[in-house]
Amino acid sequence: MITRRDLTLTLGALSFGLRATGAATAQSYPTKPIRFIVPFPAGGSTDVGARVIAEYLSRTFGQQVYVESKSGANGTIGVEAAAKSPPDGYTILVTTDTVLSNPHVFKTNIDPTKDLMPVIQLSRQPIVLAAHPSLGVSSIAELITLAKQQPGLRYATGSGVGSPQHMAVQWFAQIAGLKLEQVPYRGGGQAINDLIGGHVKLGSLGSTPLIPHYKAGTLRLLAQTTEARSPSLPDVPTFEEAGIKGLVLDQWLGVFAPAETPPAITARLNSEIGKALADPAVRKNFLDSAQEPIGGTADQFSRLVSGDFAKFGRLVKQLDIRGE
């Protein structure tokens, strides 16, 4: 006959064994290269941030951490590839908050709140509205005047329909009473090339690919979506400062693992990536591209993910954004 004491001892031994196995998994991980999937083409904010962290982790882990671009379908191809990968810590997703807005606009094959496990927030940055000098505007007020004279003025985004970059401009247009037409690109690198070339005169993008061209004087930055000005863009007003009240929308980068990845592995990733974000050289790299390094716990990131998923659902309805 099994007594209560026997059962307690058995369960205690099993619990100890599981903890020991998890600790051993974390200590031995990784034993082979790690793949970072970025769901957008090279050259944009996500690619830049992922490569900075991958380089640091390659040194820390003694295993290559490499970045693979799997772009297409507004980022959903790469996201779904990561979510459906074996949950062993060797395929990791680095993406923007578009991962949370897409399901409200398109039919997707995964639910990011169930099929992905938040690991850590890498950074946040403003979404910036940029203008080619040939457009002849230097402020939001001048753009509003021009856009009322030219309804349907086109603007580029680097992450497609329903992305926060798209939402930011549609929100601005709704408040200002404008009609603007989106030109969605597969990534920030492609969008910036056409913007610099003057093929499209406006762009709503993450700050990273814009800053070098802003400093060179080849682009004008009209407004940024954060509540306060980014320290890297102190001369660029926020939308609220420019008179577009209530428009505040950060863009962030985060790291996710497939659901069911062992907690010991995601904890190790969180710890090592957190150390990377505290490294002075890594921080400088992020800050130079107007990305504020964040870090924090997986629980903190999970709360952000949950809140933003709900927020984007509200904005998609409010702005009447529909997938093509």
Side-chain angles (χ1 to χ4, degrees):
M1 179 178 177
I2 298 176
T3 66
R4 182 184 295 273
R5 181 174 179 275
D6 292 335
L7 183 59
T8 301
L9 289 173
T10 300
L11 291 174
L14 285 172
S15 177
F16 176 80
L18 289 172
R19 290 197 301 271
T21 300
T25 300
Q27 287 298 321
S28 62
Y29 171 84
T31 58
K32 62 181 182 180
I34 298 171
R35 175 176 62 153
F36 274 6
I37 288 182
V38 169
F40 305 108
S45 304
T46 315
D47 179 68
V48 171
R51 290 183 188 279
V52 171
I53 297 300
E55 182 180 345
Y56 181 96
L57 292 182
S58 293
R59 296 193 302 268
T60 300
F61 285 149
Q63 294 285 349
Q64 182 188 11
V65 181
Y66 64 96
V67 175
E68 179 182 333
S69 173
K70 291 185 76 70
S71 62
N74 216 42
T76 58
I77 289 176
V79 170
E80 289 178 7
K84 294 177 181 179
S85 295
D88 56 8
Y90 291 99
T91 298
I92 301 299
L93 176 68
V94 182
T95 188
T96 67
D97 40 11
T98 300
V99 68
L100 304 178
S101 61
N102 274 339
H104 297 292
V105 181
F106 304 101
K107 178 177 174 56
T108 59
N109 294 320
I110 66 136
D111 181 340
T113 64
K114 296 177 181 177
D115 299 321
L116 292 169
M117 182 180 297
V119 175
I120 191 169
Q121 183 182 359
L122 292 182
S123 64
R124 63 177 169 227
Q125 64 175 323
I127 297 167
V128 182
L129 187 60
H132 190 275
S134 64
L135 190 62
V137 300
S138 300
S139 68
I140 287 293
E142 291 177 358
L143 175 61
I144 290 173
T145 299
L146 179 67
K148 287 185 176 179
Q149 296 169 352
Q150 300 179 21
L153 196 64
R154 301 193 312 155
Y155 66 95
T157 62
S159 47
V161 175
S163 67
Q165 294 174 5
H166 180 207
M167 289 184 192
V169 178
Q170 292 306 111
W171 198 352
F172 158 58
Q174 186 181 79
I175 293 171
L178 306 176
K179 183 179 180 181
L180 300 173
E181 181 182 339
Q182 183 198 29
V183 182
Y185 288 78
R186 291 180 65 180
Q190 295 175 342
I192 198 77
N193 287 338
D194 272 10
L195 184 58
I196 295 166
H199 304 299
V200 60
K201 303 296 179 70
L202 277 175
S204 176
L205 299 162
S207 53
T208 300
L210 293 171
I211 285 180
H213 306 288
Y214 170 60
K215 291 181 176 178
T218 52
L219 288 177
R220 295 171 181 169
L221 304 188
L222 307 182
Q224 52 186 316
T225 60
T226 38
E227 186 173 3
R229 297 187 187 193
S230 165
S232 300
L233 293 172
D235 299 325
V236 179
T238 66
F239 272 95
E240 287 208 312
E241 289 174 331
I244 309 303
K245 299 303 181 183
L247 201 167
V248 177
L249 191 65
D250 290 348
Q251 176 174 294
W252 50 254
L253 298 186
V255 177
F256 295 82
E260 308 304 326
T261 300
I265 288 178
T266 57
R268 178 93 194 277
L269 284 167
N270 176 278
S271 175
E272 296 302 333
I273 295 173
K275 292 174 185 176
L277 293 170
D279 179 82
V282 171
R283 290 185 64 81
K284 183 178 186 304
N285 206 310
F286 272 89
L287 290 169
D288 284 348
S289 58
Q291 295 191 61
E292 179 188 354
I294 301 297
T297 66
D299 284 344
Q300 288 171 325
F301 187 34
S302 293
R303 289 194 292 273
L304 175 65
V305 165
S306 177
D308 276 5
F309 186 75
K311 176 180 71 178
F312 290 143
R314 292 193 298 270
L315 281 173
V316 165
K317 291 180 181 178
Q318 174 188 325
L319 302 174
D320 193 27
I321 291 175
R322 303 177 187 182
E324 296 178 343

